Amino acid sequence: MHLNVHATQTETTMAVTLPEAVLARYERFSLYNSPYPAHDGGCAVDLYPGTLENGRTTAAPSPVAGTVRETRTVRAPSKPYAPEHDHLILLEPADSSPVAGLTVRILHVDPAVDAGDRIDRGDSLGRLVRAGFFAPWVDNHLHVGFRSPDQNPYRAAGSLPIDLDAAVRPLEWDGTGRVRSTGDTYAVLNAPTHPEPGAAFVGVRADCGGVLDGGVPHYDGGGLLEQPESAADEPTETAVSLNGDRLGVADGRTIAWDDVTVTANGEPITGLSLFCARDGEFGAKLICPERSFARGDRVRVRVRSSDDVCKDTTPCR
């Protein structure tokens, strides 16, 4: 099988479009939920194969068919809980692919493939690893970007923007739910609920329409996917809010967060993780290493101006 993607050329840049058939091999994906410049403007996608009952999956199915060009070990940020190295896999798409001539750049996989190996879409590339690029609350995933022939494939940033040819259903969420599961640094709520697990991707709907993507406010910015056509074509900046709480301003599909604080039952937490998913365990993910929640706890989430939160809490730093 070959990768069914195509590249589109605009006046200023080229964008790579990923169809639903490619994304559907994975349980979740995100263009913006990352602190690293490689994701700026949605120029990379994180693909999450899923989770195991007793832990994170290590499966690493390839998103493309083609030939392995190179594998190498690369340095990762120093973290006390993770190794300081990661792995880079460069793939050349099959000649019959509409993206033939581009280079596919994949991170976070300890490769079981070598240069010259030919692979089909879905073949195992190796084993997912958790290097220093990962915050402790992040699930295992493949980081994927596309480079043109004149671009350096080894630089962290600089991949082509990625467009989605896949429907993502916006789900209304009132900011409440009960804790379904917990980890040392996070809690997942049972809302919003995927209406048809395993089918289309879903995400949390912004008040203005579209699906929110990113970590607010613990990462610098986020994305607004699946915008109404009228909003997507509007050249002016758009205010983005959730349940009446302003999050920031979108320029195109990229959101710059305001100076905001996420609260859970009135108390500040690190943030709210927003992504697209098609599995039945989808729900709002609270990033909260400073707090602990128990399964079944009722939680109300708000996103408030940091100045307002400071007025209500003492001391405020």
Side-chain angles (χ1 to χ4, degrees):
M1 294 194 307
H2 296 297
L3 176 65
N4 182 24
V5 305
H6 63 276
T8 57
Q9 182 73 44
T10 67
E11 291 183 359
T12 56
T13 189
M14 184 168 60
V16 178
T17 301
L18 296 182
E20 190 166 5
V22 171
L23 295 172
R25 186 170 296 278
Y26 304 92
E27 294 294 292
R28 302 180 179 188
F29 73 84
S30 172
L31 294 174
Y32 286 90
N33 202 339
S34 171
Y36 297 107
H39 282 267
D40 287 355
C43 287
V45 62
D46 288 337
L47 301 173
Y48 296 77
T51 58
L52 298 174
E53 183 177 350
N54 296 319
R56 297 178 167 108
T57 185
T58 58
S62 177
V64 305
T67 302
V68 178
R69 168 177 160 183
E70 182 181 353
T71 65
R72 62 166 57 184
T73 300
V74 297
R75 184 180 298 276
S78 178
K79 299 287 178 63
Y81 53 80
E84 296 183 7
H85 66 275
D86 203 326
H87 305 275
L88 172 67
I89 300 175
L90 300 180
L91 299 178
E92 301 299 337
D95 290 341
S96 59
S97 169
V99 292
L102 297 181
T103 298
V104 186
R105 186 176 187 274
I106 300 174
L107 284 166
H108 313 328
V109 181
D110 187 0
V113 293
D114 297 307
D117 287 351
R118 294 186 178 183
I119 57 172
D120 285 333
R121 179 162 53 97
D123 283 354
S124 175
L125 294 173
R127 183 178 185 275
L128 290 177
V129 295
R130 299 180 59 78
F133 290 111
F134 284 66
W137 53 79
V138 177
D139 287 333
N140 290 0
H141 63 269
L142 299 86
H143 168 99
V144 181
F146 296 86
R147 299 287 170 94
S148 61
D150 59 344
Q151 292 181 293
N152 184 339
Y154 306 111
R155 291 184 62 244
S159 291
L160 301 171
I162 294 176
D163 290 336
L164 305 175
D165 186 17
V168 182
R169 178 176 175 178
L171 296 183
E172 299 278 358
W173 177 49
D174 66 1
T176 67
R178 293 190 181 276
V179 175
R180 170 190 286 138
S181 61
T182 63
D184 291 339
T185 58
Y186 66 89
V188 179
L189 304 186
N190 64 356
T193 302
H194 196 310
E196 192 178 356
F201 284 95
V202 299
V204 173
R205 182 187 185 276
D207 292 344
C208 60
V211 172
L212 294 166
D213 182 16
V216 54
H218 50 288
Y219 298 148
D220 286 342
L224 187 62
L225 312 180
E226 290 289 313
Q227 300 178 61
E229 289 187 12
S230 57
D233 294 337
E234 178 61 44
T236 58
E237 295 181 339
T238 304
V240 180
S241 61
L242 176 64
N243 296 319
D245 295 336
R246 177 168 157 139
L247 304 180
V249 175
D251 182 0
R253 69 176 183 180
T254 299
I255 305 171
W257 306 130
D258 287 349
D259 184 8
V260 295
T261 297
V262 174
T263 64
N265 294 339
E267 297 295 326
I269 61 173
T270 293
L272 178 64
S273 181
L274 300 159
F275 48 87
C276 302
R278 64 185 188 91
D279 61 283
E281 297 302 305
F282 176 71
K285 185 174 183 178
L286 313 183
I287 308 306
C288 49
E290 61 281 280
R291 293 185 61 186
S292 61
F293 293 92
R295 292 186 181 183
D297 283 353
R298 182 75 175 176
V299 179
R300 177 173 178 79
V301 178
R302 293 285 308 273
V303 183
R304 303 173 56 197
S305 163
S306 293
D307 288 341
D308 290 343
V309 173
C310 284
K311 293 175 185 177
D312 297 338
T313 58
T314 54
C316 177
R317 294 185 174 88

